[in-house]
Amino acid sequence: MNALDFLANRYNDSLQELTTFLAIPSVSTDVASANDVSRCAVWLADHIRHTGFPDVRIIETAGHPIVYAEDLSAGPEKPTVLFYGHYDVQPVDPLHLWTNPPFEPTIRDGKVFARGATDDKGQVFLHIKALEALRATTGSLPLNVKLLIEGEEEIGSPNLAPFVENNATMLQCDAIVVSDTPMMAPGIPSLVYGLRGLAYLQIDVTGPNRDLHSGSYGGAVNNPLNALAHIIAQLKDEHGRIRIPGFYDDVLELSLVEREELAALGYDDTVLMNDVGTTSLFGEQGYTTPERLWARPTLDVNGLLGGFTGEGAKTVLPSKAMAKISMRLVPHQRTADIAAKFQAYVETLVPPGITVTVRDLHGADPVLVPRDTPAMHAAVRALEATFGQTCRFTREGGSIPVVLLFDTVLKSPTVLMGFGLNNENAHSPDEHFSLENFRHGMDAAVRFYQDFGTITP
Ligand code: BES
Ligand code: MN
Ligand code: MN
């Protein structure tokens, strides 16, 4: 039996196992979930061991553990691939908007619904199943494999980054494979060659030492919510351009060739408008939607807190206000540099009588991965053979913190071969993963490892 038949025969078991993985609430942001995150690492390590990996380790960090496994029995004449993914998931709130509880995986309409289904447990698991099928049907793997699956991606990989830097020799490889991105559209295989970065900051604003009667004090004492609104209003102009001095200094402009290539993808604005339920799109002038989403930086308020928000009216001049603000970055911006520029600019906007503290919560550097590499070509062949359609090249607006680091520290090319879809509600209620893409993903991964295994390292 070949590996593809093995996967087809064992499909129901694989799906069952995936639901067990999805049922573990490995929410990395939530300190109360730390035991569940560890339990998830143990389950995953055990499962990987059970598929035949000879060396599987749970590596403790200052935060959540890393699951690492390797099988180097193919030998030095075969290439080595490093698979990277994450087993941690985002928080579930708002819980009441889920059709089924987020950690009781449910299969409906050809999809599996659960937190982490598409981001990233489903996509991690399909690789483990593909490698299991290769080993079970041939007795060995067609190449050397290292698995690096972390539990802190959703909080910015604070401990994985130093781990990669300190273990560059152990992680040495000919290519890195990541499945943590969406495909362009259902049935259309695509490879992502660019990710945006992220700078995420919190602004805490304090005015008077306590909440005040707005009649007795309003007009004489500055209001931290008004001050915060003023600060936020200065961050972006009405055309969507960010006003932080030096913000655009390192932005790599799109070349004409790339603009033509992105235009040829036939991105349809109305699909996006219908998907999110809006009648008009908004963004920086002079760029198309895919350009703005994938290759232009942006700034968004993620949350605001302050003052009286209960039923009816209460006349109060609040003491405190808070905002969480993120900026998506593009090559060659750097998250640390942008965070510093943001902080310096906000400090110039603080009105009298108000104190502001700006905290850098986390971030990720943007990255472009090379397209003309043996691993990329193998991925194109694997996807085209599986989906029966030509493979497209896209960029994405989301961020994966360690991908640039792989490039600079490991000096190996990354392939971003994702099987998610944009409307699978990653980070939202009713997150799900297409079972067709789960199946196709397993097949494509088998083909990729077989194909890449034939190259000379
Ligand atoms: N899988 C996503 C990254 C992603 C999302 C890539 C959409 C392409 C398209 C990842 O798990 C994620 O959510 N990353 C965070 C990064 C962060 C917490 C530092 C993000 O992009 O917000
Ligand atoms: Mn992810
Ligand atoms: Mn995510």
Side-chain angles (χ1 to χ4, degrees), residues 91 151 180 226 249 289 349 431:
D180 192 22
N226 288 40
D249 283 359
T289 303
L349 301 174
E431 178 177 349

Side-chain angles (χ1 to χ4, degrees), residues 84-86 88 118-121 123 153-154 179-181 399-400 426-427:
Y84 163 78
H86 63 96
D88 66 319
T118 187
D119 186 12
D120 182 30
K121 286 173 168 174
Q123 301 200 59
E153 194 276 344
E154 300 289 10
S179 290
D180 192 22
T181 46
S399 314
I400 305 177
H427 298 200

Side-chain angles (χ1 to χ4, degrees), residues 140-177:
S140 62
L141 296 180
L143 74 183
N144 301 299
V145 176
K146 301 176 177 179
L147 303 178
L148 179 67
I149 306 169
E150 69 156 318
E152 297 193 317
E153 194 276 344
E154 300 289 10
I155 54 173
S157 304
N159 293 295
L160 188 69
F163 178 82
V164 170
E165 283 171 335
N166 295 333
N167 293 278
T169 311
M170 177 176 94
L171 300 174
Q172 214 53 67
C173 58
D174 298 293
I176 297 127
V177 175

